[in-house]
Structures are given as structure tokens and as C-alpha cells.
Amino acid sequence: RGDLSPSALDPARRRIRHIQRGGNLHPADEKDMRGFLLLAVIAVTVTAADYQGHWVLDGKASDFGALRPPSSMTQDIEQDAAQIRLRQKIGKVVRDYLFALDGSETAGERLGSQWRYRTWWQDGAGGKSNLGVEYKSDLGLTFHELWTLSDAGRTLTVVRTLEGEKGRAVMVFRKRGPAARAKASGSRPR
């Protein structure tokens, strides 16, 4: 405990009055204030959403607009602090993607053309971030996706917008597997 006598409090009171009258903070006070502000910023920082899991397309809840919906579609996602690995299966076709979560560009080949991928975070509900993904091909095709989690992390909605053709699809995925069942029941997977 510090000394709380009136004489010990006088320097603090003088500093407060000095600041109230428009005076500058003492360098030691500025350092303390910077530390406080840094902690405040960290406390309200938006946290990244966790997209890991096995996701199955819910065709009835999805809207493909003018696009033909796939007969089946799954997404297996592995995620760490630096990247997302996505294995997407549409019918019998399997595609693998790697997205860097720091916004840097990654690349891959698909259907004989080169693709570049870039991600960004967008503020979402409940203090979580939504993931944005941009896909660009060397043939000039570009599309964007916005990934959003809901239903306590058991539903993944992906809104895909195609540039040029101006198409839009809303794909709704449901989490399947032991982790999803455990989350739904409130128990932990064994």
C-alpha cells in the first residue's frame, strides 16, 4: 500500500490540476497513459473466427441464383494463426487451396490456369471477424467470398460474388463430424 496522507497526495493533485488547466502530461505520465491505451486497444481487438472442421453444403438453405447448384459439396478446413488449408470437394472433383491469413498473396493452379488468393478480415457480429477471400485467375476472372459463422460455429455461410459475369451465390454449410456433435450437445469429443 502506498502513503495516502494528504501531503503524499499533493503531487498527484497538482499534476491533475495542471492537466485540467491545459498543461502537458509529465513524461512518466505519458508512458503510463500509452500503456493504458495499448491495453484498451488489445482488450477490444476483434478475434479471428475458427473455421476448422468438415463442412457439408445444405442445398436447401443455399441460393445459387442463375448458377447451377452442385449435386454435393464439402469443405474440409484446417486453420492455424497463419493460414487456412481448404480441401473442397464438388461431386468427385477435389481442389486444394492455401490462404495466408496476414493478407499476403498465395498462388495455385486450377483447371490449367494460375490463380492468386488474398484474404482480409472484416468486423462481424459478436466480436468475431468474417473472412474475405479474393480469387484472381491469369485469365482475368475474379471472384470474392465472405465467410461468416453463425449458430455457435455450426453454420458457415459463404457469399460468393463473381466479377464480370455479375453472378452471386450464397452457400450455406453445416458442420459435421465428432467436433460438431460435441459442440451441439455441450460435451467434448473423446
Side-chain angles (χ1 to χ4, degrees):
R1 293 184 175 188
D3 182 6
L4 298 178
S5 67
S7 61
L9 293 175
D10 281 343
R13 288 182 181 146
R14 280 195 303 269
R15 272 189 263 148
I16 291 169
R17 278 195 299 265
H18 176 70
I19 293 167
Q20 288 173 336
R21 292 182 184 137
N24 294 329
L25 286 173
H26 186 273
D29 294 332
E30 287 181 358
K31 183 178 180 183
D32 290 344
M33 185 60 75
R34 283 193 301 264
F36 172 78
L37 290 174
L38 178 61
L39 287 175
V41 168
I42 290 169
V44 298
T45 300
V46 175
T47 58
D50 182 5
Y51 296 100
Q52 292 188 97
H54 176 72
W55 299 91
V56 178
L57 180 70
D58 181 342
K60 291 182 181 179
S62 300
D63 178 7
F64 285 86
L67 304 172
R68 194 173 111 234
S71 57
S72 67
M73 183 176 182
T74 61
Q75 298 196 129
D76 289 303
I77 300 173
E78 295 175 12
Q79 178 180 348
D80 61 32
Q83 63 189 12
I84 284 182
R85 290 186 177 279
L86 167 64
R87 171 161 278 189
Q88 189 177 70
K89 186 175 180 187
I90 302 173
K92 295 181 182 181
V93 177
V94 177
R95 296 185 181 122
D96 291 309
Y97 301 90
L98 176 65
F99 306 128
L101 295 177
D102 64 0
S104 60
E105 199 171 85
T106 57
E109 186 175 331
R110 191 170 128 197
L111 302 172
S113 65
Q114 294 297 312
W115 287 78
R116 295 184 318 273
Y117 315 112
R118 187 182 60 83
T119 63
W120 68 93
W121 293 104
Q122 183 177 22
D123 290 349
K128 294 286 185 183
S129 289
N130 298 323
L131 181 68
V133 183
E134 177 182 68
Y135 301 74
K136 280 189 168 188
S137 80
D138 60 352
L139 301 175
L141 180 65
T142 300
F143 61 94
H144 296 97
E145 291 180 343
L146 185 62
W147 298 12
T148 305
L149 288 174
S150 60
D151 190 28
R154 293 186 301 264
T155 301
L156 169 62
T157 303
V158 178
V159 177
R160 179 180 289 173
T161 307
L162 301 162
E163 290 183 5
E165 297 176 38
K166 305 294 183 208
R168 180 171 183 223
V170 178
M171 299 173 282
V172 178
F173 295 89
R174 307 288 182 206
K175 194 174 232 182
R176 300 289 186 250
R181 282 194 294 276
K183 214 175 206 182
S185 68
S187 65
R188 290 184 157 176
R190 296 177 195 181

